[in-house]
Amino acid sequence: MEPNYYILLGAPGAGKGTQAAMLVLALGIPHVASGDLFREHLSKGTELGLLAKQYMDEGKLVPDDVTVRMVLDRLAQPDCAKGAILDGFPRTIAQAQALERALSANGQRIKAALYIKVSTEELLRRLGGRYTCKNCGAVYHIVFDPPKQPGVCDKCGGPLYQRADDTPETAKKRLDVYFQQTAPLIEYYRQQGLLREIDGEQPIEAVHAALLKVIRGE
Ligand code: ADP
Ligand code: ADP
Ligand code: ZN
């Protein structure tokens, strides 16, 4: 069977990571998040991690060439043979084109670009209260999606922390970068007939149901 590659599109804080974790269970394909891959490199202290940190700390995008190489390497792993849920990648038109080239070289294509739409005001509220697990990358929100025990991951028991780039200043910068460099992908995928829009301001379970409905309608 042809692999199913889904792209989750949306601003920082839209709920891509939260929804991807739920889709992994529903669809049985892995979650490939470029930001998580960079954070893993950083926690291991690799050269790529240290390079990425300089950009991440400022809320800027890591250069396309290193980002594309890292994600394509991940997609070549055996667990991605049936497809993947891409989160945070592509983030530029150049990345989208590189992904398309790599897939089409194997006779593959993107199944759909799922755009989770959320207002800027709500994005800032979400980023400000986001807590992430140091161990497994699971995301929580102090008000909207709290862990059962404060500061402890429900899934693995790991410690929760606030990402350095979720401070109000860096979060605003990341939203600017999103509107300039990533938002054009919405039109790009619309023109290819691949865009599906989902109202991301509903509760987490309702967004999940809306995503599944769109995916199953494909
Ligand atoms: P969020 O979940 O808030 O959207 P991510 O975890 O996806 O944030 O990304 C965090 C940071 O990692 C970005 O601000 C950027 O510096 C870097 N990054 C992640 N994905 C990409 C990408 N596809 N291209 C360039 N930089 C990226
Ligand atoms: P992204 O990966 O797009 O940056 P996340 O999945 O990390 O977004 O979500 C950002 C923050 O918003 C997290 O704290 C998460 O718990 C919270 N969140 C996600 N989806 C919703 C929702 N539908 N309603 C309220 N809060 C949400
Ligand atoms: Zn965890």
Side-chain angles (χ1 to χ4, degrees):
M1 226 185 67
E2 199 183 318
N4 291 321
Y5 294 104
Y6 295 101
I7 293 169
L8 288 177
L9 267 185
K16 301 181 299 295
T18 301
Q19 295 299 328
M22 297 166 87
L23 289 176
V24 164
L25 302 175
L27 304 178
I29 51 177
H31 173 199
V32 173
S34 42
D36 289 352
L37 294 174
F38 284 132
R39 281 184 289 276
E40 269 168 41
H41 273 279
L42 186 56
S43 73
K44 289 182 188 147
T46 70
E47 208 175 309
L48 171 59
L50 294 174
L51 172 84
K53 181 180 176 358
Q54 299 169 15
Y55 295 91
M56 295 170 83
D57 282 349
E58 289 188 34
K60 293 182 181 160
L61 295 186
V62 180
D64 285 334
D65 54 345
V66 287
T67 304
V68 165
R69 221 176 309 136
M70 175 184 73
V71 175
L72 292 184
D73 278 352
R74 177 68 190 89
L75 291 178
Q77 301 294 310
D79 64 321
C80 292
K82 288 186 185 153
I85 302 151
L86 284 165
D87 160 13
F89 180 92
R91 243 181 170 93
T92 63
I93 301 274
Q95 291 179 14
Q97 289 169 337
L99 174 64
E100 250 166 68
R101 274 196 301 274
L103 292 183
S104 69
N106 295 321
Q108 300 169 348
R109 61 189 181 90
I110 291 151
K111 194 103 191 210
L114 308 162
Y115 169 37
I116 306 178
K117 207 171 165 179
V118 173
S119 68
T120 305
E121 225 189 349
E122 175 68 10
L123 292 171
L124 289 170
R125 266 198 293 273
R126 289 187 186 179
L127 293 173
R130 171 159 67 183
Y131 282 80
T132 306
C133 175
K134 204 138 213 153
N135 263 351
C136 76
V139 281
Y140 299 87
H141 191 281
I142 193 152
V143 179
F144 306 137
D145 188 18
K148 291 195 181 78
Q149 201 184 322
V152 181
C153 179
D154 292 351
K155 290 176 182 126
C156 77
L160 305 183
Y161 77 110
Q162 270 194 300
R163 277 169 48 179
D165 59 350
D166 278 345
T167 56
E169 199 182 77
T170 312
K172 279 205 190 75
K173 169 74 188 161
R174 285 158 62 217
L175 290 180
D176 287 346
V177 167
Y178 168 78
F179 286 114
Q180 280 182 23
Q181 303 195 58
T182 307
L185 287 175
I186 297 165
E187 273 318 305
Y188 179 84
Y189 285 118
R190 200 195 308 275
Q191 278 170 19
Q192 296 188 26
L194 291 173
L195 194 78
R196 308 286 180 267
E197 278 188 52
I198 288 99
D199 173 9
E201 291 209 21
Q202 314 171 76
I204 291 172
E205 281 297 340
V207 177
H208 177 59
L211 279 167
L212 277 185
K213 197 170 162 202
V214 165
I215 289 170
R216 303 224 151 113
E218 286 300 311

